[in-house]
Amino acid sequence: MLQPAALWRALSAPGMWPARRIVGESALSLLLMLVAAGFGVLGDRGVVETVGVALGVGLLSVLRRVLPATVLLVSSVGSVTLPGAGPLIVIAAWSAGRRIGGLGRAAGVFALAYGLSLGLSVAWEPTLLSPSLLALSGLWLLVSLIVPGLAGRYWSQRRTLTDTLYEYNAQLIRERAMIAGHARIRERQRIAQDMHDSLGHQLALIAVHTGALEVDQELTGRQREAVGVLRAASVAAMHELRDVVGLLRDGTETPGPDGAEPAPDGDGEDPGTPSRGVAGVDSLVDTSRRAGTPVELRRSGEVRPLAPTADHAAYRVVQEGLTNAHKHAPGASITVGLRYEEDSLVVEVTNRPAAEPAPGSVAHGGQGLTGLEERARLVGGMVHAGRTADGGFRLAGVLPYTSPGVAQATFVAAPDDFRPQIPAGSFGEMGPVIDGNGLPKELAKAMSRNKRGSGIAIGCGVAALIAVLLLAALIVGGVFLFREADEAMIEPKQYDAVKVGQSEAEVRRQLPDGDSFLTSGVEKGAPPVPEGARCLTLLSTEFGSSWDAEPVFRFCFKDGELVEKKSFEVES
């Protein structure tokens, strides 16, 4: 038994009373209190007693969550003398079955409650000592006390098992994600090493040889300028390759101090590569001009800052547009436009038609535009590419100033992997932790549907079991009542057929023995019994003159013969 202070702490514990539970418990308590008050009114009990029982039932309904065993025992005892507390037994039994820990303790509490209810019922109503009536009372207690307790305990165990399986499944998913993450990291590191060893070496050779060629005295100024462009492009390519390798290895781009580009790692000289954002567009345009291509840069609108991913995407649009123009329309004039609209930056690269066909040796993989479309999509923008009216080509991108917060997606572990794509940057950790709220939508929905379906099936099974037990109780009770009625009731014509003066043996052969609980209490308010006589009291099969009047037939015997028979009514 909890002390008052401990009981209060248990009732006021954080999370004990969410809004939904408060509403449900209030409605349940109010319903039980109304039922208890209704029983009190129908039983002609006093106002104080009726209100007290109703308040007690409401209080016990709330306390059953922290004192399940105590509430069950109190309800079992109270229902014997206070019919209004009877409905509380079902709720208390269900709650006790769910909350009493330990099979032995639960069995002991329910056995004690069952014994107290049955024993006090017999003590309160001695007529229940009849074997048939005792069996009926025991069956009713089984249905109202034991069955809800078993159902509640089964529900609790099933929920515990489901939670355990759910946690185990989440742990397996978590381990699988960790294994897949480590496998991806190893594969990315291998790819990064291969790129560094192969492309890095070739680009370093190009940078070294173009650097040496640039200082060759035999070259003209125009040739030396073209070689300088090649050298700058090769060194810039090494910088970008190093950034890509770092991204593959670590999952994040690593800027240098103060946000500047990182210094070279010895593969070549650092020409001061500008930022790969809108600020670097001037450098791209200047490089194209130094290569001998007329390029015009137009800016319009009020300059607005972009998110880093959108800023980088704008740089890539200009870079891709210039590269395509150089490859497919060499020598044609190019116009680069940066137009700051109210909600987005519009980046355009338009080139005139080529004066002569591009050399067939120019290699192109067709992946540049696809990559740009993906970059733009991830920042909430879009990319369009197509021919112009004069036969030229136009590449345009619309990039919002604020990113929608969609993380850049990376690789998925396997084609059958049901997990969503993992945001970039999560590979540096131990892998995504997938708990009950982080499961994939399809898996969570399937588990929720299976859990709901299992709950419905279990609920239907429990309801069917209770219905079967109630039907069995009704059948047994009906048979029992019919038998008791045969022992305690006669028709008026049977009463009229008996005459005063007949022998007792003859009369008793014509009438039932009256040994039934139905005849208990009918002597109250009956006429006086003749002195020295023994009487047989039976009920009539007909209704009385009012709802609370019970017609009674009484036969009194003395010295072996019937000396009196009376017909009267008593209050039921």
Coordinates of all heavy atoms in Angstrom, one line a residue, residues 421-503:
Q421 N 17.2 7.9 -49.1 CA 18.5 8.3 -49.4 C 19.0 9.1 -48.2 O 18.3 9.9 -47.6 CB 18.6 9.1 -50.7 CG 18.4 8.3 -51.9 CD 18.6 9.1 -53.2 OE1 18.4 10.2 -53.1 NE2 18.9 8.4 -54.2
I422 N 20.3 8.9 -47.9 CA 20.8 9.5 -46.7 C 21.5 10.8 -47.0 O 22.2 10.9 -48.0 CB 21.9 8.5 -46.1 CG1 21.2 7.2 -45.8 CG2 22.5 9.1 -44.9 CD1 22.2 6.1 -45.3
P423 N 21.2 11.9 -46.2 CA 21.8 13.2 -46.5 C 23.3 13.2 -46.4 O 23.9 12.4 -45.7 CB 21.2 14.1 -45.4 CG 20.0 13.3 -44.9 CD 20.3 11.9 -45.1
A424 N 23.8 14.0 -47.3 CA 25.3 14.1 -47.3 C 25.8 14.6 -46.0 O 25.2 15.5 -45.4 CB 25.7 15.1 -48.4
G425 N 26.9 14.1 -45.5 CA 27.4 14.5 -44.3 C 27.2 13.5 -43.2 O 27.7 13.6 -42.1
S426 N 26.3 12.6 -43.4 CA 26.0 11.6 -42.3 C 26.9 10.5 -42.3 O 26.9 9.7 -41.4 CB 24.5 11.1 -42.5 OG 24.4 10.4 -43.8
F427 N 27.8 10.4 -43.3 CA 28.7 9.2 -43.3 C 29.8 9.4 -42.4 O 30.5 8.4 -42.1 CB 29.2 9.0 -44.8 CG 28.2 8.7 -45.8 CD1 27.8 9.7 -46.7 CD2 27.5 7.5 -45.7 CE1 26.8 9.4 -47.6 CE2 26.5 7.2 -46.7 CZ 26.2 8.2 -47.6
G428 N 30.1 10.6 -41.9 CA 31.2 10.8 -41.0 C 30.8 10.2 -39.6 O 31.7 10.1 -38.7
E429 N 29.5 10.0 -39.4 CA 29.1 9.5 -38.1 C 29.0 8.0 -38.1 O 29.4 7.3 -39.1 CB 27.7 10.1 -37.7 CG 27.8 11.7 -37.7 CD 26.4 12.3 -37.5 OE1 25.5 11.5 -37.4 OE2 26.3 13.5 -37.5
M430 N 28.4 7.4 -37.1 CA 28.3 6.0 -37.1 C 27.2 5.4 -38.0 O 26.9 4.2 -38.0 CB 28.0 5.5 -35.6 CG 29.2 5.7 -34.7 SD 30.6 4.8 -35.3 CE 30.1 3.1 -35.0
G431 N 26.5 6.3 -38.7 CA 25.4 5.9 -39.6 C 24.1 6.3 -39.0 O 24.0 6.7 -37.8
P432 N 23.1 6.3 -39.8 CA 21.8 6.8 -39.4 C 21.2 6.0 -38.3 O 21.2 4.7 -38.4 CB 20.9 6.8 -40.6 CG 21.6 5.8 -41.5 CD 23.0 5.8 -41.2
V433 N 20.7 6.6 -37.2 CA 20.0 5.8 -36.2 C 18.5 5.8 -36.5 O 17.9 6.8 -36.6 CB 20.2 6.4 -34.8 CG1 19.5 5.7 -33.7 CG2 21.7 6.5 -34.5
I434 N 18.0 4.6 -36.7 CA 16.6 4.5 -37.1 C 15.8 4.0 -36.0 O 16.0 2.8 -35.5 CB 16.5 3.5 -38.3 CG1 17.3 4.0 -39.5 CG2 15.0 3.4 -38.7 CD1 17.3 3.1 -40.7
D435 N 15.0 4.8 -35.4 CA 14.2 4.4 -34.2 C 12.7 4.3 -34.7 O 12.4 4.3 -35.9 CB 14.3 5.4 -33.1 CG 14.0 6.8 -33.5 OD1 13.4 7.0 -34.6 OD2 14.4 7.7 -32.8
G436 N 11.8 4.2 -33.7 CA 10.4 4.0 -34.1 C 9.8 5.1 -34.9 O 9.0 4.9 -35.7
N437 N 10.3 6.4 -34.7 CA 9.8 7.5 -35.4 C 10.5 7.7 -36.7 O 10.1 8.6 -37.5 CB 9.8 8.7 -34.6 CG 8.8 8.6 -33.4 OD1 7.8 8.0 -33.5 ND2 9.2 9.2 -32.2
G438 N 11.7 7.1 -36.9 CA 12.5 7.3 -38.1 C 12.5 6.2 -39.1 O 13.3 6.2 -40.0
L439 N 11.5 5.3 -39.0 CA 11.5 4.2 -39.9 C 11.0 4.8 -41.3 O 10.3 5.8 -41.3 CB 10.5 3.1 -39.4 CG 11.0 2.3 -38.3 CD1 9.9 1.3 -37.8 CD2 12.2 1.4 -38.7
P440 N 11.3 4.1 -42.4 CA 10.8 4.5 -43.6 C 9.3 4.5 -43.6 O 8.7 3.7 -42.9 CB 11.4 3.5 -44.6 CG 12.6 2.9 -43.9 CD 12.3 3.0 -42.4
K441 N 8.7 5.4 -44.4 CA 7.3 5.6 -44.4 C 6.5 4.3 -44.8 O 5.6 3.9 -44.1 CB 6.9 6.7 -45.5 CG 5.4 7.0 -45.5 CD 5.1 8.0 -46.6 CE 5.9 9.3 -46.3 NZ 5.6 10.3 -47.4
E442 N 7.0 3.5 -45.8 CA 6.4 2.3 -46.2 C 6.4 1.3 -45.1 O 5.4 0.6 -44.8 CB 7.0 1.7 -47.5 CG 6.8 2.6 -48.7 CD 7.8 3.8 -48.7 OE1 8.7 3.8 -47.8 OE2 7.7 4.6 -49.6
L443 N 7.6 1.1 -44.4 CA 7.7 0.1 -43.4 C 6.9 0.5 -42.2 O 6.2 -0.3 -41.6 CB 9.2 0.0 -43.0 CG 9.5 -1.0 -41.9 CD1 9.0 -2.4 -42.3 CD2 11.0 -1.0 -41.5
A444 N 6.9 1.8 -41.8 CA 6.1 2.3 -40.6 C 4.6 2.0 -40.9 O 3.9 1.6 -40.0 CB 6.4 3.7 -40.3
K445 N 4.2 2.3 -42.1 CA 2.8 2.2 -42.4 C 2.4 0.7 -42.4 O 1.4 0.3 -41.9 CB 2.5 2.7 -43.8 CG 1.0 2.7 -44.2 CD 0.9 3.2 -45.7 CE 1.3 4.7 -45.8 NZ 1.0 5.2 -47.1
A446 N 3.3 -0.2 -42.9 CA 3.0 -1.6 -42.9 C 2.9 -2.2 -41.5 O 2.0 -2.9 -41.1 CB 4.0 -2.4 -43.7
M447 N 3.9 -1.7 -40.6 CA 3.9 -2.2 -39.3 C 2.7 -1.7 -38.5 O 2.1 -2.4 -37.7 CB 5.2 -1.7 -38.6 CG 6.4 -2.4 -39.1 SD 7.9 -1.9 -38.2 CE 7.6 -2.6 -36.6
S448 N 2.3 -0.4 -38.8 CA 1.1 0.2 -38.1 C -0.1 -0.6 -38.5 O -1.0 -0.9 -37.7 CB 1.0 1.6 -38.5 OG -0.2 2.2 -37.9
R449 N -0.2 -0.9 -39.9 CA -1.4 -1.7 -40.3 C -1.4 -3.0 -39.7 O -2.5 -3.5 -39.3 CB -1.3 -1.7 -41.9 CG -2.5 -2.4 -42.5 CD -2.6 -2.1 -44.0 NE -1.3 -2.5 -44.6 CZ -0.5 -1.7 -45.2 NH1 -0.7 -0.4 -45.1 NH2 0.6 -2.2 -45.8
N450 N -0.3 -3.7 -39.7 CA -0.2 -5.1 -39.1 C -0.6 -5.0 -37.6 O -1.3 -5.9 -37.1 CB 1.2 -5.7 -39.3 CG 1.4 -6.0 -40.7 OD1 0.5 -6.1 -41.5 ND2 2.7 -6.1 -41.1
K451 N -0.1 -4.0 -36.9 CA -0.3 -3.9 -35.5 C -1.8 -3.6 -35.2 O -2.5 -4.2 -34.4 CB 0.5 -2.7 -34.9 CG 0.4 -2.6 -33.4 CD 1.4 -1.6 -32.9 CE 1.3 -1.4 -31.4 NZ 2.2 -0.4 -30.9
R452 N -2.4 -2.7 -36.1 CA -3.8 -2.4 -35.9 C -4.7 -3.6 -36.3 O -5.6 -3.9 -35.6 CB -4.2 -1.2 -36.9 CG -5.6 -0.8 -36.7 CD -5.8 0.6 -37.4 NE -5.4 0.6 -38.8 CZ -4.3 1.2 -39.3 NH1 -3.5 1.9 -38.4 NH2 -4.0 1.1 -40.5
G453 N -4.3 -4.4 -37.3 CA -5.0 -5.6 -37.7 C -4.9 -6.6 -36.6 O -5.9 -7.3 -36.3
S454 N -3.7 -6.8 -36.0 CA -3.6 -7.7 -34.9 C -4.4 -7.3 -33.7 O -5.0 -8.2 -33.1 CB -2.1 -7.9 -34.5 OG -1.3 -8.3 -35.6
G455 N -4.4 -6.0 -33.4 CA -5.2 -5.5 -32.3 C -6.7 -5.8 -32.5 O -7.4 -6.2 -31.6
I456 N -7.2 -5.6 -33.8 CA -8.6 -5.9 -34.1 C -8.9 -7.3 -33.9 O -9.9 -7.7 -33.4 CB -8.9 -5.4 -35.5 CG1 -8.8 -3.8 -35.5 CG2 -10.3 -5.8 -35.9 CD1 -9.0 -3.3 -36.9
A457 N -8.0 -8.2 -34.4 CA -8.2 -9.6 -34.3 C -8.2 -10.1 -32.9 O -9.1 -10.9 -32.5 CB -7.1 -10.4 -35.1
I458 N -7.3 -9.6 -32.1 CA -7.3 -9.9 -30.6 C -8.5 -9.4 -29.9 O -9.2 -10.1 -29.2 CB -6.0 -9.4 -30.0 CG1 -4.8 -10.1 -30.5 CG2 -6.1 -9.6 -28.5 CD1 -3.5 -9.6 -30.0
G459 N -8.9 -8.2 -30.2 CA -10.1 -7.6 -29.6 C -11.4 -8.4 -30.0 O -12.2 -8.7 -29.1
C460 N -11.4 -8.8 -31.3 CA -12.6 -9.7 -31.7 C -12.6 -11.0 -31.0 O -13.6 -11.6 -30.6 CB -12.6 -9.8 -33.2 SG -12.9 -8.3 -34.1
G461 N -11.3 -11.6 -30.8 CA -11.2 -12.9 -30.1 C -11.7 -12.8 -28.7 O -12.4 -13.6 -28.2
V462 N -11.2 -11.7 -28.0 CA -11.6 -11.5 -26.6 C -13.1 -11.3 -26.5 O -13.8 -11.9 -25.6 CB -10.8 -10.4 -26.0 CG1 -11.3 -10.0 -24.6 CG2 -9.3 -10.7 -25.9
A463 N -13.6 -10.5 -27.4 CA -15.1 -10.2 -27.4 C -15.9 -11.5 -27.6 O -16.9 -11.7 -27.0 CB -15.4 -9.2 -28.4
A464 N -15.4 -12.3 -28.6 CA -16.1 -13.6 -28.8 C -16.0 -14.5 -27.6 O -17.0 -15.2 -27.3 CB -15.4 -14.3 -30.1
L465 N -14.9 -14.6 -26.9 CA -14.8 -15.4 -25.7 C -15.7 -14.9 -24.7 O -16.4 -15.7 -24.0 CB -13.3 -15.3 -25.2 CG -13.0 -16.1 -23.9 CD1 -13.3 -17.6 -24.1 CD2 -11.6 -15.9 -23.4
I466 N -15.8 -13.6 -24.4 CA -16.7 -13.1 -23.4 C -18.1 -13.4 -23.8 O -19.0 -13.7 -23.0 CB -16.5 -11.6 -23.3 CG1 -15.1 -11.3 -22.7 CG2 -17.5 -10.9 -22.4 CD1 -14.7 -9.9 -22.5
A467 N -18.4 -13.2 -25.1 CA -19.8 -13.5 -25.6 C -20.2 -14.9 -25.4 O -21.3 -15.3 -25.0 CB -19.9 -13.1 -27.1
V468 N -19.2 -15.9 -25.6 CA -19.5 -17.3 -25.4 C -19.7 -17.6 -23.9 O -20.7 -18.3 -23.6 CB -18.3 -18.1 -26.0 CG1 -18.5 -19.6 -25.5 CG2 -18.3 -18.1 -27.5
L469 N -18.9 -17.0 -23.1 CA -19.1 -17.2 -21.7 C -20.4 -16.6 -21.2 O -21.1 -17.2 -20.3 CB -17.9 -16.6 -20.9 CG -16.6 -17.3 -21.1 CD1 -15.5 -16.5 -20.4 CD2 -16.6 -18.7 -20.6
L470 N -20.7 -15.4 -21.7 CA -22.0 -14.8 -21.3 C -23.2 -15.7 -21.8 O -24.2 -15.9 -21.0 CB -22.1 -13.4 -21.9 CG -21.3 -12.3 -21.2 CD1 -21.4 -11.0 -21.9 CD2 -21.7 -12.1 -19.7
L471 N -23.1 -16.2 -23.0 CA -24.2 -17.1 -23.5 C -24.3 -18.3 -22.6 O -25.4 -18.8 -22.3 CB -23.9 -17.4 -25.0 CG -24.9 -18.3 -25.6 CD1 -26.3 -17.7 -25.6 CD2 -24.5 -18.7 -27.0
A472 N -23.1 -18.9 -22.3 CA -23.2 -20.1 -21.4 C -23.8 -19.7 -20.1 O -24.6 -20.5 -19.5 CB -21.7 -20.6 -21.2
A473 N -23.4 -18.5 -19.5 CA -24.0 -18.1 -18.2 C -25.5 -17.9 -18.4 O -26.2 -18.3 -17.5 CB -23.3 -16.9 -17.8
L474 N -25.9 -17.4 -19.5 CA -27.4 -17.2 -19.7 C -28.1 -18.5 -19.8 O -29.2 -18.7 -19.2 CB -27.6 -16.3 -20.9 CG -27.2 -14.8 -20.8 CD1 -27.4 -14.1 -22.1 CD2 -28.1 -14.1 -19.7
I475 N -27.5 -19.4 -20.5 CA -28.2 -20.7 -20.6 C -28.2 -21.4 -19.3 O -29.3 -21.9 -18.9 CB -27.4 -21.6 -21.7 CG1 -27.5 -20.9 -23.1 CG2 -27.9 -23.0 -21.7 CD1 -26.7 -21.7 -24.1
V476 N -27.1 -21.5 -18.6 CA -27.1 -22.1 -17.3 C -28.0 -21.4 -16.3 O -28.8 -22.0 -15.6 CB -25.7 -22.2 -16.7 CG1 -25.7 -22.7 -15.3 CG2 -24.8 -23.0 -17.6
G477 N -28.0 -20.1 -16.4 CA -28.9 -19.3 -15.5 C -30.3 -19.5 -15.8 O -31.2 -19.6 -14.9
G478 N -30.6 -19.6 -17.1 CA -32.0 -19.8 -17.5 C -32.5 -21.2 -17.1 O -33.7 -21.3 -16.5
V479 N -31.7 -22.2 -17.3 CA -32.1 -23.6 -16.8 C -32.3 -23.6 -15.3 O -33.2 -24.1 -14.8 CB -31.0 -24.6 -17.3 CG1 -31.3 -25.9 -16.6 CG2 -31.0 -24.7 -18.8
F480 N -31.4 -22.9 -14.6 CA -31.4 -22.9 -13.1 C -32.7 -22.1 -12.7 O -33.4 -22.6 -11.8 CB -30.2 -22.2 -12.6 CG -30.2 -21.9 -11.1 CD1 -30.1 -22.9 -10.2 CD2 -30.5 -20.6 -10.7 CE1 -30.1 -22.7 -8.9 CE2 -30.5 -20.3 -9.3 CZ -30.3 -21.4 -8.4
L481 N -33.0 -21.0 -13.3 CA -34.2 -20.3 -12.9 C -35.5 -21.0 -13.2 O -36.5 -21.0 -12.4 CB -34.2 -18.9 -13.6 CG -33.2 -17.9 -13.2 CD1 -33.3 -16.6 -14.0 CD2 -33.4 -17.5 -11.7
F482 N -35.5 -21.7 -14.3 CA -36.7 -22.5 -14.6 C -36.9 -23.7 -13.6 O -38.0 -23.9 -13.2 CB -36.6 -23.2 -16.0 CG -37.0 -22.2 -17.1 CD1 -36.1 -21.8 -18.1 CD2 -38.3 -21.8 -17.2 CE1 -36.5 -20.9 -19.1 CE2 -38.8 -20.9 -18.2 CZ -37.8 -20.5 -19.1
R483 N -35.8 -24.3 -13.2 CA -35.9 -25.3 -12.2 C -36.3 -24.8 -10.9 O -37.2 -25.3 -10.1 CB -34.5 -26.0 -12.0 CG -34.6 -27.4 -11.4 CD -33.2 -27.9 -11.2 NE -32.5 -27.1 -10.3 CZ -31.9 -27.7 -9.2 NH1 -31.9 -29.0 -9.0 NH2 -31.2 -26.9 -8.4
E484 N -35.8 -23.6 -10.5 CA -36.2 -23.0 -9.2 C -37.6 -22.5 -9.3 O -38.3 -22.6 -8.3 CB -35.3 -21.7 -9.0 CG -33.8 -22.1 -8.6 CD -33.7 -22.8 -7.3 OE1 -34.3 -22.4 -6.3 OE2 -33.0 -23.9 -7.3
A485 N -38.1 -22.1 -10.4 CA -39.5 -21.7 -10.5 C -40.4 -22.9 -10.4 O -41.5 -22.8 -9.8 CB -39.7 -21.0 -11.9
D486 N -40.0 -24.0 -10.9 CA -40.8 -25.2 -10.7 C -40.9 -25.6 -9.3 O -41.9 -26.2 -8.8 CB -40.2 -26.4 -11.5 CG -40.4 -26.2 -13.0 OD1 -41.3 -25.5 -13.4 OD2 -39.7 -26.8 -13.8
E487 N -39.9 -25.3 -8.5 CA -39.9 -25.7 -7.1 C -40.6 -24.7 -6.2 O -40.9 -24.9 -5.0 CB -38.4 -25.8 -6.6 CG -37.6 -26.9 -7.2 CD -38.2 -28.3 -6.9 OE1 -38.8 -28.4 -5.8 OE2 -38.0 -29.2 -7.7
A488 N -40.8 -23.4 -6.7 CA -41.4 -22.4 -5.9 C -42.7 -21.8 -6.3 O -43.2 -21.0 -5.6 CB -40.3 -21.3 -5.7
M489 N -43.2 -22.1 -7.5 CA -44.3 -21.4 -8.1 C -45.4 -22.4 -8.5 O -45.1 -23.5 -8.9 CB -43.9 -20.5 -9.3 CG -42.8 -19.5 -9.0 SD -42.4 -18.5 -10.4 CE -43.8 -17.5 -10.5
I490 N -46.7 -22.0 -8.3 CA -47.8 -22.8 -8.7 C -48.8 -21.8 -9.4 O -48.8 -20.6 -9.2 CB -48.5 -23.5 -7.5 CG1 -49.0 -22.5 -6.5 CG2 -47.6 -24.5 -6.9 CD1 -49.9 -23.1 -5.4
E491 N -49.8 -22.4 -10.1 CA -50.8 -21.6 -10.8 C -52.0 -21.5 -9.8 O -52.2 -22.3 -8.9 CB -51.2 -22.3 -12.0 CG -50.1 -22.5 -13.1 CD -50.6 -23.2 -14.3 OE1 -51.8 -23.5 -14.4 OE2 -49.8 -23.3 -15.3
P492 N -52.8 -20.5 -10.0 CA -54.0 -20.3 -9.1 C -54.9 -21.5 -9.1 O -55.5 -21.8 -8.0 CB -54.7 -19.0 -9.7 CG -53.5 -18.3 -10.3 CD -52.6 -19.3 -10.9
K493 N -55.0 -22.2 -10.2 CA -56.0 -23.3 -10.2 C -55.4 -24.5 -9.3 O -56.2 -25.2 -8.7 CB -56.2 -23.8 -11.6 CG -54.9 -24.3 -12.3 CD -55.2 -24.8 -13.7 CE -54.0 -25.3 -14.5 NZ -54.3 -25.8 -15.8
Q494 N -54.1 -24.6 -9.2 CA -53.6 -25.6 -8.2 C -53.9 -25.2 -6.8 O -54.2 -26.0 -6.0 CB -52.0 -25.7 -8.4 CG -51.6 -26.3 -9.7 CD -50.1 -26.3 -9.9 OE1 -49.5 -25.4 -10.3 NE2 -49.5 -27.4 -9.5
Y495 N -53.9 -23.9 -6.5 CA -54.2 -23.4 -5.2 C -55.7 -23.7 -4.9 O -56.1 -24.1 -3.8 CB -54.0 -21.9 -5.1 CG -54.5 -21.2 -3.8 CD1 -53.8 -21.4 -2.7 CD2 -55.7 -20.5 -3.9 CE1 -54.3 -20.8 -1.5 CE2 -56.2 -19.9 -2.7 CZ -55.4 -20.0 -1.5 OH -55.9 -19.5 -0.4
D496 N -56.6 -23.5 -5.9 CA -58.0 -23.7 -5.7 C -58.3 -25.2 -5.5 O -59.3 -25.5 -4.9 CB -58.8 -23.1 -6.9 CG -58.7 -21.6 -7.0 OD1 -58.4 -21.0 -6.0 OD2 -58.8 -21.1 -8.1
A497 N -57.5 -26.1 -6.1 CA -57.8 -27.5 -6.1 C -57.5 -28.1 -4.7 O -58.0 -29.2 -4.4 CB -56.9 -28.2 -7.1
V498 N -56.7 -27.4 -3.9 CA -56.4 -27.9 -2.5 C -57.5 -27.4 -1.6 O -57.9 -26.3 -1.6 CB -55.0 -27.4 -2.1 CG1 -54.7 -27.8 -0.7 CG2 -53.9 -27.9 -3.1
K499 N -57.9 -28.4 -0.7 CA -59.0 -28.1 0.2 C -58.5 -28.2 1.7 O -57.7 -29.1 1.9 CB -60.2 -29.0 0.0 CG -60.8 -29.0 -1.4 CD -61.3 -27.6 -1.8 CE -61.8 -27.7 -3.3 NZ -62.3 -26.3 -3.7
V500 N -59.0 -27.3 2.5 CA -58.7 -27.4 3.9 C -59.2 -28.7 4.5 O -60.4 -29.1 4.2 CB -59.3 -26.2 4.7 CG1 -59.0 -26.4 6.2 CG2 -58.7 -24.9 4.2
G501 N -58.5 -29.4 5.3 CA -58.9 -30.7 5.8 C -58.2 -31.9 5.1 O -58.2 -33.0 5.7
Q502 N -57.6 -31.7 3.9 CA -56.9 -32.7 3.3 C -55.6 -33.1 4.1 O -55.1 -32.2 4.9 CB -56.4 -32.3 1.9 CG -57.6 -32.3 0.9 CD -57.1 -32.0 -0.5 OE1 -57.0 -30.8 -0.9 NE2 -56.7 -33.0 -1.3
S503 N -55.2 -34.3 4.0 CA -54.0 -34.7 4.7 C -52.8 -34.0 4.2 O -52.7 -33.6 3.0 CB -53.8 -36.2 4.6 OG -53.5 -36.6 3.2

